[in-house]
Amino acid sequence: MSEHPGIAWATLRAAAAVAAGRAYAPYSHFPVGSAGLVDNGRSVTGCNVENGSYGLTLCAECGMVGDLHRSGGGRLVAAVATDPAGTPLAPCGRCRQLLLEAGGKGLVVDGPGGPKPILDLLADPFTVADLEAGGDDAS
Ligand code: THU
């Protein structure tokens, strides 16, 4: 494990904890917040938003990536999801894929085992390069 010096993980975790306080999680009672550091130095946040049609739940990382684009775009360099106490959580599989596209292969993601490169969490990923390389080109 590496702490990846230069990234203010405590600050990022604290921002995620604040966001978790805004979660809408009446079904799971499991509030989650997420925070990301953008390559221009700003930070973005999100919280999970559940729905009575349970499968429509939006994870905190979805909201955070939405905030990234809403606030001007750029590349995520660091990201974390936490509970309301600021304890890092493991991102779900779908969110790992989402984080990879928002951050690229240089993204570092905090979690229960400390910060790790995204490719340690999502090995051999499907990426936009696979879209360009294959598929049905009959159009
Ligand atoms: N959740 C997230 O927000 N992010 C994750 O990476 C894992 C799970 C949320 C979804 C749901 O609202 C609650 O946690 C319980 O699964």
Side-chain angles (χ1 to χ4, degrees):
M1 179 190 103
S2 160
E3 282 302 319
H4 297 274
I7 295 171
W9 291 109
T11 304
L12 218 53
R13 288 172 194 154
V18 170
R22 301 282 190 190
Y24 176 72
Y27 308 109
S28 73
H29 303 287
F30 192 80
V32 180
S34 180
L37 177 66
V38 189
D39 59 355
N40 70 357
R42 78 185 196 283
S43 55
V44 290
T45 59
C47 62
N48 55 334
V49 177
E50 298 183 347
N51 189 274
S53 179
Y54 300 155
L56 299 184
T57 288
L58 304 174
C59 284
E61 297 93 324
C62 297
M64 185 269 285
V65 170
D67 193 30
L68 168 73
H69 292 288
R70 179 205 60 78
S71 63
R75 190 178 71 79
L76 283 181
V77 297
V80 63
T82 75
D83 67 12
T87 303
L89 302 166
C92 78
R94 178 176 184 266
C95 287
R96 293 175 192 212
Q97 184 77 32
L98 196 70
L99 291 170
L100 173 65
E101 184 142 340
K105 294 180 177 178
L107 175 66
V108 182
V109 181
D110 201 5
K116 291 180 181 163
I118 184 68
L119 291 183
D120 283 12
L121 302 177
L122 188 67
D124 297 326
F126 178 84
T127 70
V128 68
D130 296 292
L131 279 180
E132 287 158 2
D136 180 0
D137 202 13
S139 58

